[in-house]
Amino acid sequence: MKLNPKDLTYCKKIMSDCGPTYYWATRLLPQKIRNATYVLYAFYRVPDDIVDLAPAKQKEDKLNQWLSDWERSKQKPHKVKSPVLRAAQVIHKKFNIPYKYADAFLKAMKQDLTKSRYNNYQELADYMFGSAAVPGIMMTYLVKPNPDKKTLQQAEDLGLAMQLTNFIRDIKEDIEDRDRIYMPVDEMKRFNITEEDIKKHRYPNTWKSFICFQINRSHDLYKSGFEGLKKLPLHTRFCIKLAAIMYMDYNRQIIKSDFQVFHTTYKLSTSRKFFCLIKTILNLTTPPRCPKQL
């Protein structure tokens, strides 16, 4: 099977339009891996947008149709209309990516239709495995054929770290636009944070400590993920590291804003992207530290 140029162009546009941070970093990859990354990103993005952006009454039907088309494409990719699914099948076969990872991702997307709260971190981590760790694992297959178990675990950790950064950065957007809270309920209780605090954009006295706790968790995962990157080929390691460092920079912004996530917009300016590029070149992968006294 060969990648259809029109299907590739379609996937590339999805990434450039919807994932500028990833797209910016991906441009540094070798062409073969870069093209595969465009396809995988589109494969993740389309069902994610169905869950987040489709009209409420259509979400389940659209997602079920996507899941059905995905299963059909495993046997007869030429029979499905979606250029993303056709291209995804080519990439799965070309790089020997087990289907179980794509299936875990789609399972997490379906879970988003019915689950909006997570009782503890283990529940959240189980969800994040499909929604965030799987993309990191699948990327590992692109750059390192037949990866060992530890490398896959470290790729998983890097995906979880970046997702946790997302959850912290997007607390306001998630509750306002989707009525979701991706913070463990038991940890909120431990820090005396209520759901009403989040809904009403309040900062209790323990808020900074709570967010710092979440950031520190992501930092431990970043460190593990960066260790795993050392095992990847040099020509691909740099790009993935750059994407992770740019995401980690959101943690720095959150700390700098004094954890005011409800009233701050976090963005990476062009100058900041170049700063992250310099950090990547110098191999400066230490996560920013939260203040010791909060």
Side-chain angles (χ1 to χ4, degrees):
M1 293 177 66
K2 291 185 178 181
L3 198 56
N4 184 303
K6 291 183 179 180
D7 291 349
L8 175 61
T9 299
Y10 186 90
C11 294
K12 181 178 179 180
K13 189 175 188 309
I14 290 176
M15 190 178 199
S16 64
D17 290 348
C18 304
T21 299
Y22 289 116
Y23 182 74
W24 197 83
T26 299
R27 292 162 65 184
L28 302 174
L29 286 170
Q31 185 176 14
K32 177 182 175 182
I33 299 173
R34 183 169 68 245
N35 289 343
T37 304
Y38 294 148
V39 173
L40 289 185
Y41 181 89
F43 177 77
Y44 310 141
R45 187 74 195 203
V46 172
D48 189 54
D49 281 351
I50 290 173
V51 171
D52 288 345
L53 304 177
K57 294 182 179 180
Q58 299 178 20
K59 289 181 188 290
E60 186 171 4
D61 288 343
K62 284 180 175 291
L63 187 58
N64 284 338
Q65 183 62 58
W66 182 266
L67 294 171
S68 177
D69 288 345
W70 168 242
E71 290 301 319
R72 191 182 316 118
S73 72
K74 291 178 181 178
Q75 302 299 324
K76 299 178 180 180
H78 59 286
K79 291 289 186 179
V80 297
K81 295 180 179 180
S82 169
V84 174
L85 292 179
R86 290 195 300 264
Q89 287 299 336
V90 174
I91 298 306
H92 273 75
K93 289 179 170 60
K94 189 173 184 177
F95 292 90
N96 297 313
I97 303 173
Y99 280 129
K100 65 179 181 180
Y101 295 119
D103 294 341
F105 170 77
L106 294 172
K107 178 182 177 182
M109 293 300 97
K110 193 160 187 178
Q111 183 175 317
D112 261 337
L113 295 178
T114 57
K115 191 172 180 65
S116 60
R117 305 292 188 273
Y118 293 84
N119 291 321
N120 50 58
Y121 180 70
Q122 186 58 58
E123 272 193 13
L124 185 64
D126 290 343
Y127 163 76
M128 289 195 299
F129 174 79
S131 67
V134 158
I137 291 171
M138 291 170 76
M139 277 298 299
T140 303
Y141 276 88
L142 299 187
V143 302
K144 185 179 175 64
N146 303 312
D148 59 79
K149 185 176 180 180
K150 187 171 183 180
T151 300
L152 292 175
Q153 179 61 57
Q154 290 167 322
E156 177 180 338
D157 288 345
L158 191 59
L160 295 179
M162 296 167 77
Q163 181 73 302
L164 282 171
T165 294
N166 257 340
F167 288 162
I168 299 165
R169 181 193 66 184
D170 296 339
I171 288 178
K172 178 182 177 182
E173 180 181 340
D174 285 333
I175 191 65
E176 288 185 347
D177 298 347
R178 306 176 186 96
D179 189 33
R180 296 185 199 144
I181 298 177
Y182 291 112
M183 295 286 120
V185 172
D186 62 341
E187 293 173 4
M188 290 173 58
K189 290 180 179 178
R190 190 191 317 165
F191 284 89
N192 295 315
I193 307 294
T194 68
E195 188 169 312
E196 283 300 299
D197 291 330
I198 294 177
K199 287 182 175 180
K200 294 183 178 180
H201 306 164
R202 296 190 302 229
Y203 301 109
N205 292 336
T206 53
W207 180 258
K208 295 179 184 179
S209 297
F210 174 68
I211 298 300
C212 189
F213 179 82
Q214 306 303 328
I215 288 177
N216 285 340
R217 170 182 279 150
S218 78
H219 286 181
D220 290 340
L221 292 165
Y222 275 116
K223 290 176 183 177
S224 171
F226 284 129
E227 283 297 311
L229 290 181
K230 295 177 182 178
K231 303 174 185 177
L232 302 183
L234 183 62
H235 63 285
T236 54
R237 184 193 316 161
F238 185 87
C239 171
I240 298 173
K241 186 185 293 182
L242 174 59
I245 285 176
M246 286 196 294
Y247 249 79
M248 194 169 64
D249 197 67
Y250 287 120
N251 281 0
R252 180 198 62 82
Q253 292 183 38
I254 292 166
I255 295 168
K256 187 177 180 180
S257 74
D258 201 28
F259 309 96
Q260 305 291 296
V261 296
F262 298 128
H263 301 92
T264 309
T265 299
Y266 303 106
K267 293 183 178 180
L268 283 176
S269 64
T270 300
S271 61
R272 196 66 201 174
K273 288 177 182 176
F274 276 110
F275 180 77
C276 291
L277 177 63
I278 297 301
K279 288 181 67 176
T280 306
I281 293 171
L282 297 177
N283 198 33
L284 302 177
T285 59
T286 303
R289 295 184 177 181
C290 289
K292 290 184 178 180
Q293 299 296 328
L294 293 174

